[in-house]
Amino acid sequence: MSFDEESVRRTSRGDVRLRGFGDLVAFGEAMDWVTRHGTPLDAEEVAIAEAAGRVLARPADAPADLPPFDRVIEDGYAVSSGETIGAGTYNPLLLELRDAGSAPRPGAAVLVAAGMPLPRGADAVIPFAEAQASGPVLEVLGSVAEGVGIERRGVQLRSGAALAPGGRALRPRDLAVLASLGGERVSVVRRPRVKLVISSAKGGAQTPAPDANGPMLRALVERDGGLVLAAESGGDHGAALRQAMAAPGADLLLAAGRTGTGPDDDAPLALAGAGRLDVHGIAVRPGGSAGMGRAGPLPVILLPGDPLACLCAYELFAGEMIRRMGGRDPRLPHPVVEAEVGSKIVSTIGFTELCQVRLADGRAEPTGAPGSGGIASALRADGFVVVPAPLEGHAPGSRVLVHLHS
Amino acid sequence: MSFDEESVRRTSRGDVRLRGFGDLVAFGEAMDWVTRHGTPLDAEEVAIAEAAGRVLARPADAPADLPPFDRVIEDGYAVSSGETIGAGTYNPLLLELRDAGSAPRPGAAVLVAAGMPLPRGADAVIPFAEAQASGPVLEVLGSVAEGVGIERRGVQLRSGAALAPGGRALRPRDLAVLASLGGERVSVVRRPRVKLVISSAKGGAQTPAPDANGPMLRALVERDGGLVLAAESGGDHGAALRQAMAAPGADLLLAAGRTGTGPDDDAPLALAGAGRLDVHGIAVRPGGSAGMGRAGPLPVILLPGDPLACLCAYELFAGEMIRRMGGRDPRLPHPVVEAEVGSKIVSTIGFTELCQVRLADGRAEPTGAPGSGGIASALRADGFVVVPAPLEGHAPGSRVLVHLHS
């Protein structure tokens, strides 16, 4: 039996509406789906000025020496250091002062500025404060050692030296190095194009609930390097989802809402009808009604409609999917700090739980019982703790890793 | 004597070209300039969907209860919990099953889905797995406690409760809360509009050096919440700078290059001529040729042309200026870790130095002597250590704070 058949058998639970999920898919199996489907996209060339935060498609080597020639790094007078031996305040050395750009010669100094090529024959630069110019004559008031105020070709980087490994997100100063080496464009992993389909929240016509998930998901996708193609919401969610699955152009579809067991939870059936529903109903809290599947080649992740559940399922599954497709480090991007548990962090054995905590005096305090407090508990939180399925939580005084919301 | 006169007197050192800086401005005095001129800009309204990373102009309070009504948070059957007392597998309770949206009544259960308003008279939800529907009759196989599966109005947030303090950058989940409360727009501090004027690097016509600082500065300004208006480079730097200072539209001008003591270092004179040069020549390394001043109301920061010096002067001065203007936390935005010093970190007494280090086995190792190694030393570095002016460095084994490049 191939893996895919097994996958379908395991998750083809039929219609869960008005029945409940029954057995849930283990967290690790859902993560396996993300790992299998989250393969890096192809490369594209972008201008260096637009490449901040992008991920190199392959390791970059220096195409040339840096600096590309011996050069001056201090403003002053370029000299041959050997000629200055013995010079001092009471024994000034007199040199012929030549303008910047002049050809140098023995017994002469050349006016230079940082960044210029080092005049041939010179091997040091005397700063302005240590010499006195007087018309065409320069009075040198001290000796200078070879190499002072200059930088030899290739001393920063040799041609062929490793600049950055593939998969590395480019930082501002990486751009300066790449540009210094004379590059104009760089090959980076294409940003995953993510289409969002957001269900209008439930509540009946008399209480139209606002779209809370659209703005949040847009920001999360961009944080993880994805490109939000469109965020559609309202109307018939199943129909909007079917239309989005049939349209070209996206690398990933995230659909928020209508994933549960209620009468109008039509997202899983829409996905099963258009392709296949590999995973639905996962042993995580909040966010367990999430699902995963494919419509043709297009991976689709179904996120719950409740904003806190949507956030948690995004952080556990969709975020890693986008980071993997974009060639990034798949791990959660939040800074991590270790903290001592204050009040007990409660979790149910068998469920991977994402518990919102605030940090007070270096201690992690839950901001609400698991699954309660809603998105506002995440508002009060400084971060979250992931409690693995085998644990029933963390006792006061134990130490946990807190992923900081940033 | 007013402060400004004192400031002019202290820094009106005249033309430093071909002479050297003489006395340098203390780091703290240069930071005072940044603090005085980096005042937050005015507020603007933006759509919540576009507000990720923006900074609230004033503290936000909840304009309404969240949730705005008693509501269902589990799919199932809404009931009056009191009617289920005593129900069990061997003693099923029979209730009239009514459709979603029906008016409830004694002896009846209403089909509900998470997110819906709680039907009047119901105070709990029985999940699908614990009841058996059979046409118009629901067999309830267990009792349910009051409050299970529902969420009362305002339990997440009461109207008027503090949502976020002013100055707080909005995180993805903050957007979900703001949108859940029915908001559409939010008042945030306007992004500082930053104009860049980049000098073409020196080297003579036969070796035109590429613009390394433009891509780096663009990325740094965006990291700190600024909006890059334009990045002009090439040609006559002094003329480009004078033109940029005269043009309207920018909140801050950053000019990179031509700040030193060489014959073509015309940026400080251009600024002094168009307005005033408050600070030039600062006791920091690298980046000491940086300057600050104003052209009319427009603050101008002069950054050195060498990419590493430009990066360091940006991190020490310009970045904080932009964060202050944008209402952000003025501190360096890098994550900070404590590390033990490996090889000695060397610094000169009297200079605030920014030393690039890499982290190996939790120890901080310098990637180059101060002022050497160029921008490539920053490439190899994981972060940097700021060594205060009174210190001559950090001895092996001492503990330092490393600002991580991210």
Side-chain angles (χ1 to χ4, degrees), chain A residues 284-364:
Chain A
V284 301
R285 280 185 182 164
S289 68
M292 297 150 188
R294 287 193 297 178
L298 176 69
V300 180
I301 297 184
L302 307 178
L303 300 168
D306 172 76
L308 181 61
C310 182
L311 171 64
C312 292
Y314 178 92
E315 293 289 20
L316 289 172
F317 307 114
E320 177 163 333
M321 181 79 180
I322 293 169
R323 292 188 298 274
R324 285 184 177 277
M325 296 179 89
R328 292 171 194 275
D329 186 334
R331 293 173 297 180
L332 285 168
H334 311 73
V336 175
V337 295
E338 197 181 310
E340 185 181 312
V341 174
S343 306
K344 186 180 180 189
I345 294 176
V346 178
S347 171
T348 305
I349 290 180
F351 286 82
T352 298
E353 297 202 13
L354 217 146
C355 175
Q356 304 291 327
V357 298
R358 62 190 165 79
L359 291 173
D361 301 327
R363 294 203 302 184

Side-chain angles (χ1 to χ4, degrees), chain A residues 75 114 128 173 179 210 261 378 405, chain B residues 75 128 173 179 202 210 261 378 405:
Chain A
D75 304 323
F128 293 126
R173 77 215 129 105
T261 57
H405 295 302
Chain B
D75 304 321
F128 293 127
R173 77 217 130 104
K202 297 159 189 169
T261 57
H405 295 301

Side-chain angles (χ1 to χ4, degrees), chain A residues 18 49 52 75 114 128 156 171-174 176 179-180 202 210-212 216 218-219 261-262 373-376 378-381 405-406, chain B residues 18 49 52 75 114 128 156 171-174 176 179-180 202 210-212 216 218-219 261-262 373-376 378-381 405-406:
Chain A
L18 309 191
D75 304 323
F128 293 126
Q156 287 195 35
R171 300 163 298 189
R173 77 215 129 105
D174 296 333
S180 292
K202 298 160 190 168
D211 166 21
M216 177 173 72
R218 178 184 286 273
T261 57
I375 190 69
L379 186 76
R380 286 187 293 268
H405 295 302
S406 55
Chain B
L18 309 192
D75 304 321
F128 293 127
Q156 287 195 34
R171 302 164 296 191
R173 77 217 130 104
D174 296 332
S180 293
K202 297 159 189 169
D211 166 20
M216 177 174 72
R218 180 184 284 275
T261 57
I375 190 69
L379 186 76
R380 286 187 293 268
H405 295 301
S406 54

Side-chain angles (χ1 to χ4, degrees), chain A residues 80-130:
Chain A
S80 169
S81 60
E83 296 186 347
T84 69
I85 294 171
T89 315
Y90 299 103
N91 182 31
L93 166 71
L94 300 184
L95 295 175
E96 178 197 357
L97 177 55
R98 297 175 68 85
D99 278 348
S102 303
R105 56 189 180 208
V110 177
L111 179 64
V112 291
M116 287 181 172
L118 181 67
R120 193 186 311 257
D123 63 5
V125 173
I126 296 179
F128 293 126
E130 291 171 29

Side-chain angles (χ1 to χ4, degrees), chain B:
Chain B
M1 185 188 289
S2 79
F3 180 89
D4 280 347
E5 287 168 2
E6 160 63 23
S7 167
V8 168
R9 189 193 58 72
R10 191 183 65 236
T11 60
S12 61
R13 59 178 81 216
D15 191 347
V16 298
R17 295 181 301 175
L18 309 192
R19 295 201 299 113
F21 281 107
D23 286 346
L24 294 170
V25 177
F27 174 65
E29 287 189 49
M31 287 311 304
D32 283 348
W33 188 95
V34 170
T35 307
R36 280 200 316 280
H37 292 87
T39 46
L41 300 172
D42 46 322
E44 66 180 353
E45 302 261 311
V46 299
I48 288 174
E50 308 295 333
R54 300 297 298 271
V55 172
L56 283 176
R58 37 184 173 272
D61 296 336
D65 288 341
L66 184 69
F69 43 79
D70 294 350
R71 73 178 168 193
V72 170
I73 58 170
E74 297 274 2
D75 304 321
Y77 304 102
V79 297
S80 170
S81 60
E83 296 186 347
T84 70
I85 295 171
T89 316
Y90 298 103
N91 182 30
L93 166 70
L94 300 185
L95 295 175
E96 178 197 357
L97 177 54
R98 297 174 68 85
D99 279 349
S102 303
R105 54 187 182 208
V110 177
L111 178 64
V112 290
M116 286 180 174
L118 182 67
R120 192 187 308 259
D123 63 6
V125 173
I126 297 178
F128 293 127
E130 290 171 27
Q132 193 86 40
S134 168
V137 175
L138 184 73
E139 229 179 339
V140 176
L141 305 174
S143 63
V144 63
E146 182 182 338
V148 167
I150 70 167
E151 189 178 57
R152 293 291 181 186
R153 171 178 177 164
V155 75
Q156 287 195 34
L157 270 179
R158 285 278 169 208
S159 173
L163 282 180
R168 149 93 160 266
L170 292 168
R171 302 164 296 191
R173 77 217 130 104
D174 296 332
L175 305 186
V177 176
L178 291 169
S180 293
L181 288 163
E184 291 189 352
R185 299 179 78 73
V186 62
S187 180
V188 295
V189 180
R190 191 161 61 70
R191 295 177 69 183
R193 294 167 303 196
V194 181
K195 189 174 284 182
L196 303 178
V197 180
I198 315 287
S199 81
S200 55
K202 297 159 189 169
Q206 76 282 20
T207 54
D211 166 20
N213 292 323
M216 177 174 72
L217 287 174
R218 180 184 284 275
L220 288 166
V221 169
E222 286 172 358
R223 180 200 72 184
D224 287 320
L227 199 60
V228 175
L229 279 188
E232 294 157 13
S233 69
D236 179 337
H237 187 58
L241 185 49
R242 276 187 290 275
Q243 192 179 338
M245 287 189 288
D251 299 305
L252 174 67
L253 181 63
L254 299 184
R258 311 287 168 101
T259 59
T261 57
D264 60 355
D265 283 323
D266 51 3
L269 291 177
L271 175 52
R276 30 185 269 197
L277 178 66
D278 294 329
V279 172
H280 184 213
I282 309 169
V284 300
R285 278 184 184 164
S289 67
M292 299 152 190
R294 286 192 298 178
L298 177 68
V300 180
I301 297 183
L302 307 178
L303 301 168
D306 172 75
L308 181 61
C310 182
L311 172 63
C312 292
Y314 179 91
E315 292 290 22
L316 288 172
F317 306 115
E320 177 163 332
M321 182 78 179
I322 294 169
R323 292 189 297 275
R324 285 185 179 275
M325 295 178 89
R328 293 172 193 274
D329 186 335
R331 293 173 297 180
L332 286 167
H334 312 72
V336 175
V337 297
E338 196 181 310
E340 186 182 312
V341 174
S343 307
K344 185 181 180 187
I345 294 176
V346 178
S347 172
T348 306
I349 291 181
F351 286 82
T352 298
E353 297 203 12
L354 215 146
C355 175
Q356 304 290 328
V357 299
R358 62 189 164 78
L359 291 173
D361 300 328
R363 293 205 302 186
E365 296 283 354
T367 57
S372 87
I375 190 69
S377 77
L379 186 76
R380 286 187 293 268
D382 296 307
F384 60 88
V385 173
V386 180
V387 184
L391 302 186
E392 58 167 4
H394 291 288
S398 59
R399 298 195 68 81
V400 291
L401 295 179
V402 179
H403 295 266
L404 297 176
H405 295 301
S406 54

